[in-house]
Amino acid sequence: MSLDDRKLEVLRAIVEDYVETQEPVGSKSLVERHALGVSPATVRNDMAVLEEEGYIRQPHTSAGRVPTDAGYRLFVDRLSKVKPLTPAERRAIERFLIGAVDLDDVVHRTVRLLAQLTRQVAVVQYPSLARSSVRHLELVPISTTRLMLVMIADTGRVEQRLVELPEPVPADDVTDLRRRVNEKLAGQRLADTPPLVQGLVDDCSPGHRATMACLASVLLETLVERSEERLALAGTANLTRGGVLDFQGTLRPVLEALEEEVILLKLIGDLEPSKTRVRIGDENQIDNLRSASVVSTGYGPGATIVGGLGVLGPTRMDYPGTIATVRAVARYVGDLLAQN
């Protein structure tokens, strides 16, 4: 059955009122609060159709109705218009992020900002090494047989490793090693570096091959084999703001899911440029999050996506405002990475 415009307007009013009041919505209050241009009896009939079609439900024996996951999905897809941020909100985002001093600061400012603006749980993925390129490799002598390898990615991410050398290496040779690895690897995508690292060993003189082989082993671990991704989380306490109908009355499954980084990466990873993904209730593939909604997007310099960010909260969410905020923050973070 195709819903006519009037029933869609009734659904929009129900969603907006329930998100704002946390109370089931009745036909009388809809007529009083919204200029629907019809009688309470007509609204009741429309609500009966919406309930029959599965877009709203009656949580208990009262006249009020609340949206279902299908109702929220229809609202997001057809009824909601993304709220433009006010100039004051845009300035606040810019001022908050512009003072960041390094990548860690950018990520932690971003996750706190998202949690504050949306009043939901915020998750930000550090720029993924799998999507990064090498900006510079530094070799810092700790002793004649030990080096500190520092890899700086184009996204600002920094990785450090100790290199135990098989024999003492003079300072001039360390300088030569630094030059060789940067000539070979600087500017290359991390995923493309394994054959280049092997080339460093093959091209090395026999007298330095053992040293280069040790360095190459640590380079591969740093550039390629490091599989874990890092995340920042903020605003978990926001989950307690809701009513008794949020999260089906218990927060425990949601809190358990938030403790698993693999789950969080699935929520905000693998996003296409300029795409905002909204998963509502049962659309989440993770059982513990069937009572939650997730709004997420990718971020990065220009059209390049290096990580994901988003928010998680109850299905009773201000979707237009949340989508606008997530998009705006992602855009500002991408601009910061492009500048730096």
Side-chain angles (χ1 to χ4, degrees), residues 253-254 257 263 267 281-282 284 286-294 312:
V254 178
I263 289 177
L267 293 179
D282 282 336
N284 287 302
I286 298 147
D287 288 341
N288 283 5
L289 296 179
R290 302 269 185 201
S291 61
S293 286
V294 179
L312 177 149

Side-chain angles (χ1 to χ4, degrees), residues 15-175:
V15 172
E16 290 176 350
D17 280 10
Y18 182 57
V19 168
E20 181 181 344
T21 66
Q22 303 184 31
E23 296 291 338
V25 181
S27 57
K28 182 179 179 183
S29 66
L30 284 179
V31 171
E32 292 172 349
R33 289 169 59 93
H34 300 271
L36 297 174
V38 293
S39 68
T42 302
V43 171
R44 280 195 296 274
N45 290 335
D46 290 341
M47 291 174 72
V49 173
L50 290 169
E51 186 169 9
E52 183 180 342
E53 292 296 308
Y55 295 114
I56 60 175
R57 65 184 178 87
Q58 188 175 26
H60 44 71
T61 54
S62 71
R65 302 294 189 276
V66 301
T68 62
D69 291 353
Y72 286 123
R73 171 50 62 191
L74 186 60
F75 174 79
V76 169
D77 289 346
R78 292 186 57 184
L79 298 172
S80 66
K81 293 181 174 62
V82 175
K83 295 177 183 174
L85 297 185
T86 66
E89 287 171 328
R90 293 185 180 278
R91 285 194 300 272
I93 293 173
E94 188 173 5
R95 278 199 305 269
F96 195 76
L97 294 179
I98 205 70
V101 296
D102 57 21
L103 182 64
D104 278 328
D105 200 15
V106 169
V107 170
H108 285 103
R109 283 172 181 253
T110 300
V111 77
R112 294 201 313 272
L113 180 66
L114 269 177
Q116 290 169 8
L117 292 177
T118 64
R119 301 180 73 192
Q120 309 290 357
V121 180
V123 185
V124 177
Q125 177 189 13
Y126 276 76
S128 171
L129 288 178
R131 299 186 180 117
S132 302
S133 298
V134 179
R135 178 183 290 173
H136 181 71
L137 288 156
E138 187 59 56
L139 297 176
V140 182
I142 305 299
S143 70
T144 57
T145 58
R146 179 179 288 183
L147 300 176
M148 175 69 76
L149 168 66
V150 182
M151 190 281 294
I152 304 171
D154 59 343
T155 54
R157 185 161 171 177
V158 178
E159 296 290 324
Q160 300 182 35
R161 288 286 189 284
L162 276 176
V163 185
E164 299 288 349
L165 303 174
E167 57 190 12
V169 176
D172 288 347
D173 286 359
V174 173
T175 301

Side-chain angles (χ1 to χ4, degrees), residues 324-339:
T325 301
V326 167
R327 285 179 180 174
V329 171
R331 188 166 57 250
Y332 275 104
V333 175
D335 291 345
L336 268 181
L337 292 181
Q339 293 166 15

Side-chain angles (χ1 to χ4, degrees), residues 193-195 197-198 215-226:
T193 55
V197 172
Q198 183 57 48
L215 177 58
S217 176
V218 178
L219 277 169
L220 285 173
E221 179 190 344
T222 307
L223 301 174
V224 181
E225 296 173 6
R226 184 179 177 86

Side-chain angles (χ1 to χ4, degrees), residues 199-215:
L200 284 168
V201 180
D202 296 340
D203 297 343
C204 204
S205 64
H208 294 102
R209 191 158 291 165
T211 297
M212 184 61 86
C214 286
L215 177 58

